[in-house]
Amino acid sequence: MTRTQYYVAASLDGYIADAQGRLEWLFQFNDAEGVMEHYQSFLSGIGALAMGARTYEFLLGEGKEWPYSGLPTWVFTHRQLPALPGADVRFTSEDVRAVHARMVEAAGGKNIWMMGGGDLAAQFAAHGLVDELHLCVVPVFLRAGAPLLAAALHTPLELAGVKRFGQGLVELRYVLPAGTPTAQAPSPG
Ligand SMILES: NC(=O)c1ccc[n+]([C@@H]2O[C@H](COP(=O)([O-])OP(=O)(O)OC[C@H]3O[C@@H](n4cnc5c(N)ncnc54)[C@H](OP(=O)(O)O)[C@@H]3O)[C@@H](O)[C@H]2O)c1
């Protein structure tokens, strides 16, 4: 059965990007023992991707080859953004529930990667559309930046796993409660 997984890395103080939208603080851990193998194993279970416009623009700005070729990707935006060659990208500003239903179909039984950011993840979570949080806790403090989740979620999550990597990285895997959670829904982007 398809699971929607918010797979993300955040600083100890809960930011997924620094105040300039940069990720060097995260990329310095790319060689940490076990991280890449774990990421490859996660990615092999993914059949569709969702991300916000700023995350997509970050990937464009990297100037590299599209890293998710063959994976249908929904980019939420109200703007016209350039498509990257080789990328199966659909730009949308439709209701997240309708898009999610199409993503489940496209995933063909594999899982959905909710890549972020935290506002889009919160919009999905507000409708009970996030099943799991895979949070890689990065041992740095950023003090400001893009938040991990732009909503309050008062219902406790269930801890499903803890994995240690090199250089002090830890992944916490949580299952979100089924159904629509008690949450303060953010306004759509
Ligand atoms: N550490 C990690 O694992 C991780 C993971 C993901 C992202 N990131 C980083 O986080 C930063 C971006 O995160 P972010 O939270 O600032 O932004 P984001 O979620 O990537 O993008 C936000 C934008 O998405 C669009 N949007 C959101 N909801 C929408 C909706 N319902 N309908 C239509 N458009 C919608 C809006 O763009 P428009 O103005 O175009 O409408 C909004 O300004 C980047 O630096 C990225 O690299 C880090």
Side-chain angles (χ1 to χ4, degrees):
M1 197 185 70
T2 296
R3 308 274 292 162
T4 301
Q5 300 168 323
Y6 183 25
Y7 175 92
V8 66
S11 64
L12 276 168
D13 50 351
Y15 295 106
I16 63 167
D18 70 16
Q20 287 73 43
R22 303 184 67 95
L23 296 182
E24 281 82 359
W25 57 273
L26 171 61
F27 293 156
Q28 67 182 325
F29 292 92
N30 277 354
D31 294 333
E33 196 185 338
V35 163
M36 277 307 156
E37 295 85 343
H38 183 69
Y39 167 71
Q40 291 301 341
S41 155
F42 166 78
L43 193 60
S44 68
I46 294 300
L49 284 163
M51 67 181 76
R54 280 200 285 273
T55 299
Y56 179 70
E57 287 175 303
F58 177 87
L59 291 168
L60 286 186
E62 291 276 88
K64 298 184 183 152
E65 234 174 71
W66 181 246
Y68 312 112
S69 74
L71 283 177
T73 300
W74 277 260
V75 174
F76 284 80
T77 185
H78 299 95
R79 292 172 289 144
Q80 279 208 315
L81 296 174
L84 255 190
D88 180 0
V89 171
R90 303 113 202 254
F91 300 105
T92 185
S93 57
E94 274 185 77
D95 187 288
V96 295
R97 287 163 291 190
V99 177
H100 183 264
R102 277 203 291 283
M103 293 182 74
V104 170
E105 208 172 303
K110 291 181 126 185
N111 295 322
I112 292 171
W113 181 3
M114 158 46 66
M115 192 178 281
D119 187 79
L120 186 62
Q123 292 173 50
F124 273 57
H127 293 292
L129 299 176
V130 180
D131 300 304
E132 298 170 14
L133 168 65
H134 296 216
L135 171 61
C136 182
V137 180
V138 183
V140 297
F141 285 88
L142 297 178
R143 192 161 180 250
L148 172 61
L149 195 77
L153 250 186
H154 293 175
T155 314
L157 312 188
E158 179 196 329
L159 184 64
V162 179
K163 197 168 172 57
R164 283 181 76 142
F165 301 104
Q167 296 180 36
L169 293 176
V170 178
E171 185 193 71
L172 304 172
R173 193 158 51 81
Y174 288 100
V175 174
L176 274 70
T180 306
T182 312
Q184 288 167 3
S187 54

